[in-house]
Amino acid sequence: MQDRQKPVKQYNVRQIKVENETEARRELAQIGCDDWGIKLMAPKAVFRVLKVSGLTPVQANILKQEMLARGGEAAVRRGVANHSVDSTDVLLMGTVKQFKALLVKLRLQPFDLPNLAAQIREVLDGLKPRGTFLLDCRGRQLEIGRRTLVMGILNVTPDSFSDGGRFFEPERALQQAQRLVAEGADIIDLGGVSTRPGHTPVPVEEELRRILPVLRLLLQHLDVPISVDTFTPEVARAALEEGAHILNDQWALQRDPAMAGVAARYQVPVVLMHNQQGTQYRDLMGDMLAFFRRSIDIAVQAGLPRHQLIIDPGIGFGKTLAQNLEVMRRLSELATLGLPVLLGTSRKSMIGKTLDLPVDQRVEGTAATVALGIAHGVDIVRVHDVKEMVRVARMTDAMVRGPAAVGVEHIL
Ligand code: HH2
């Protein structure tokens, strides 16, 4: 007869979720580390992979050497070692502690590496949890980060893809906006031009004729901030002069050089939405980030502070279905810039094509994108179906941000 085996002691090995130093500190404290140990080890618990573009072989070789010396890694293009290529992208892999030590070394190097060090530093800082802050919309405040904010769409266009023609009359538009606010909208986004594929361009006078009477009514009767969805400086100027609180620019200040000056003059928050002609990318997320950096530069040069800017990946703009889905999957990469993120997926063709459903049956698909967006760090969702998406956002917030985000901690 065989001996009965001694029971094997179980150590309950498992992976835990640690995405930043705040979460690392919490886990270290929970196992009883002392304060000194927590301070020392938290930066070792967070691993980052950063992608850097367009380095010379000389820069890349130094970077690799310095990263390896810190115990991290740097992947470069074949041909960098013998300088048979002109430039390379680099994947830097290491803990926050290793990155910090790398930065100290890079600051002492030639070849523009101190500049690169400053840019890496900015990204590492941007990736730290932002906490909550108040976005000042010309006197009306939006609290960013505590819970997801819902922007209700009000299109006063005859041809918008999902609600075109329904709220063309100012009184009806006001009623619709009041309904959206009653359902929980934190912002109303007023648009006078449809940008759906195949839309007809609208003259400035017509865009003004559509939005100004409605805007005046909204400003009189609503307490929430009103954003104006336009990429035309004349329209933006007129709307801001009337008192609109936020500028939502589908070309992120890059379509008309006058736009940034208009936004700066009124010191309004600006939504910088990614957009481009065609769907060619060298590196989808990398190109989008470079686009946002250009827009941020334009804004700051014009005198708009960085903290007034919101970025938006522009789902459905200059992207194929596969690219839209990839952006959704990689939304958390937008945290790189440390700015609030707005997501506009409501009833869009990405959902229609994926589920093979017409525009009036895309509410569940929209819900999936809102939930995923929030899980990936989105701060504001732009939606038509406010009542439903407020519920989706509250539920997702309770799970992602914690019960305090929706005020239910008392029942726990
Ligand atoms: N999408 C649309 C319009 N404006 N603004 C931002 N910031 N982000 C978006 O994703 C976005 C936007 C298009 O949607 P919709 O307003 O519903 O349709 P239409 O262009 O037909 O009016």
Side-chain angles (χ1 to χ4, degrees):
M1 214 171 82
Q2 259 191 329
D3 285 343
R4 291 189 70 209
Q5 285 208 329
K6 247 176 87 182
V8 178
K9 182 170 177 205
Q10 261 302 339
Y11 292 99
N12 203 20
V13 180
R14 65 201 200 277
Q15 171 174 271
I16 58 166
K17 175 180 158 291
V18 172
E19 282 171 1
N20 52 54
E21 285 181 69
T22 310
E23 290 181 4
R25 277 194 289 273
R26 198 177 307 135
E27 291 298 334
L28 289 162
Q30 219 191 12
I31 64 158
C33 260
D34 61 30
D35 288 352
W36 177 243
I38 293 174
K39 195 168 155 46
L40 216 62
M41 286 184 277
K44 298 185 186 178
V46 182
F47 192 83
R48 300 258 179 248
V49 182
L50 303 187
K51 188 170 181 178
V52 182
S53 303
L55 295 187
T56 63
V58 175
Q59 292 174 312
N61 279 328
I62 295 174
L63 211 52
K64 186 168 183 86
Q65 182 184 311
E66 293 294 354
M67 206 53 185
L68 286 173
R70 319 266 91 71
E73 184 53 281
V76 300
R77 184 175 169 193
R78 196 185 177 92
V80 163
N82 64 4
H83 291 217
S84 63
V85 292
D86 294 339
S87 85
T88 180
D89 291 352
V90 177
L91 286 187
L92 294 171
M93 304 165 235
T95 63
V96 167
K97 183 180 164 85
Q98 289 162 343
F99 274 104
K100 283 181 180 162
L102 171 78
L103 296 187
V104 173
K105 291 289 171 181
L106 289 187
R107 286 189 197 111
L108 305 171
Q109 295 279 354
F111 309 116
D112 204 35
L113 290 169
N115 176 22
L116 175 63
Q119 293 181 25
I120 293 174
R121 165 95 218 220
E122 200 179 295
V123 168
L124 291 174
D125 285 347
L127 291 171
K128 288 180 184 165
R130 198 182 336 102
T132 66
F133 76 97
L134 287 181
L135 182 69
D136 179 36
C137 311
R138 303 178 85 189
R140 296 191 183 177
Q141 315 292 328
L142 287 174
E143 189 181 10
I144 306 280
R146 191 172 60 81
R147 61 170 175 79
T148 304
L149 300 178
V150 174
M151 174 187 261
I153 301 173
L154 184 66
N155 282 323
V156 285
T157 57
D159 57 346
S160 279
F161 78 95
S162 75
D163 54 2
R166 292 186 48 210
F167 312 114
F168 211 43
E169 285 303 313
E171 278 300 334
R172 287 201 59 197
L174 173 64
Q175 279 170 15
Q176 170 65 1
Q178 285 172 323
R179 201 186 79 172
L180 298 180
V181 172
E183 289 176 353
D186 299 289
I187 308 163
I188 295 293
D189 187 42
L190 174 63
V193 196
S194 172
T195 45
R196 70 188 172 136
H199 67 275
T200 26
V202 174
V204 172
E205 302 71 44
E206 173 62 14
E207 192 180 347
L208 285 170
R209 204 181 60 76
R210 290 178 187 176
I211 67 161
L212 288 185
V214 179
L215 177 62
R216 287 183 195 120
L217 280 181
L218 299 185
L219 291 168
Q220 264 171 34
H221 291 93
L222 301 181
D223 294 329
V224 300
I226 312 296
S227 77
V228 174
D229 188 347
T230 187
F231 43 81
T232 311
E234 291 86 339
V235 176
R237 191 178 297 115
L240 295 173
E241 193 53 41
E242 285 294 334
H245 304 97
I246 300 173
L247 187 56
N248 175 16
D249 184 357
Q250 291 177 26
W251 283 96
L253 308 178
Q254 295 190 35
R255 191 164 182 273
D256 190 315
M259 198 64 159
V262 173
R265 169 141 180 246
Y266 294 89
Q267 289 291 305
V268 274
V270 180
V271 179
L272 304 170
M273 196 195 81
H274 175 262
N275 207 340
Q276 69 165 39
Q277 305 284 2
T279 56
Q280 288 294 325
Y281 294 87
R282 191 182 83 90
D283 169 338
L284 179 60
M285 295 307 286
D287 291 2
M288 281 176 60
L289 267 280
F291 172 95
F292 287 132
R293 287 188 160 116
R294 272 197 303 282
S295 291
I296 294 167
D297 249 22
I298 292 170
V300 172
Q301 292 294 327
L304 259 182
R306 191 186 156 96
H307 63 77
Q308 292 280 82
L309 305 175
I310 297 165
I311 56 169
D312 176 340
I315 294 297
F317 293 85
K319 297 166 195 77
T320 62
L321 173 61
Q323 287 164 343
N324 284 313
L325 294 171
E326 180 175 349
V327 171
M328 290 300 299
R329 187 161 62 243
R330 305 181 77 152
L331 276 175
S332 54
E333 295 181 18
L334 298 180
T336 296
L337 294 173
L339 292 175
V341 178
L342 185 149
L343 179 68
T345 52
S346 188
R347 303 182 186 168
K348 281 191 177 165
S349 72
M350 171 182 75
I351 297 162
K353 288 180 190 158
T354 304
L355 299 179
D356 192 19
L357 287 173
V359 112
D360 62 351
Q361 290 179 51
R362 296 181 185 168
V363 68
E364 299 89 345
T366 302
T369 62
V370 166
L372 183 75
I374 296 170
H376 282 337
V378 162
D379 300 284
I380 307 171
V381 290
R382 179 183 180 277
V383 296
H384 301 89
D385 304 292
V386 168
K387 184 181 105 198
E388 292 80 359
M389 294 315 132
V390 163
R391 290 178 182 173
V392 173
R394 296 291 175 276
M395 190 62 223
T396 314
D397 277 347
M399 296 182 287
V400 172
R401 301 178 201 264
V406 286
V408 294
E409 71 273 46
H410 58 278
I411 58 161
L412 298 177

